[in-house]
């Protein structure tokens, strides 16, 4: 594993944790907007970042 791979993996992990935290903190807002018929799409963002992190982790 190169230094670039390690940095990319660490960056993706940090981004993943940040998006999960953001999703948790925005959960009440998400519920309110969903009742109003609006979707924010945070689930898709978290899924994409999680998938990218998993792919990077599995490259070992």
């Amino acid at each position: 594993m190169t230094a670039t791979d390690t940095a990319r993996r660490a960056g993706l992990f940090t981004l993943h944790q940040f998006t999960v935290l953001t999703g948790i903190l925005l959960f009440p807002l998400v519920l309110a907007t969903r009742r109003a018929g609006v979707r924010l799409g945070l689930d898709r963002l978290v899924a994409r970042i999680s998938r990218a992190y998993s792919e990077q982790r599995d490259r070992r």
Side-chain angles (χ1 to χ4, degrees):
M1 184 179 308
T2 66
T4 305
D5 290 337
T6 303
R8 177 177 166 82
R9 186 172 164 210
L12 284 170
F13 177 74
T14 302
L15 185 59
H16 177 260
Q17 293 299 313
F18 179 72
T19 55
V20 170
L21 176 64
T22 303
I24 291 168
L25 294 175
L26 291 177
F27 190 67
L29 177 64
V30 169
L31 291 178
T33 58
R34 187 170 286 178
R35 284 188 177 198
V38 178
R39 285 194 56 179
L40 296 179
L42 288 176
D43 56 332
R44 289 179 280 162
L45 176 64
V46 171
R48 285 182 63 185
I49 292 171
S50 179
R51 190 174 333 115
Y53 174 69
S54 295
E55 289 172 4
Q56 182 67 31
R57 185 188 65 217
D58 293 341
R59 285 186 185 180
R60 288 193 235 174

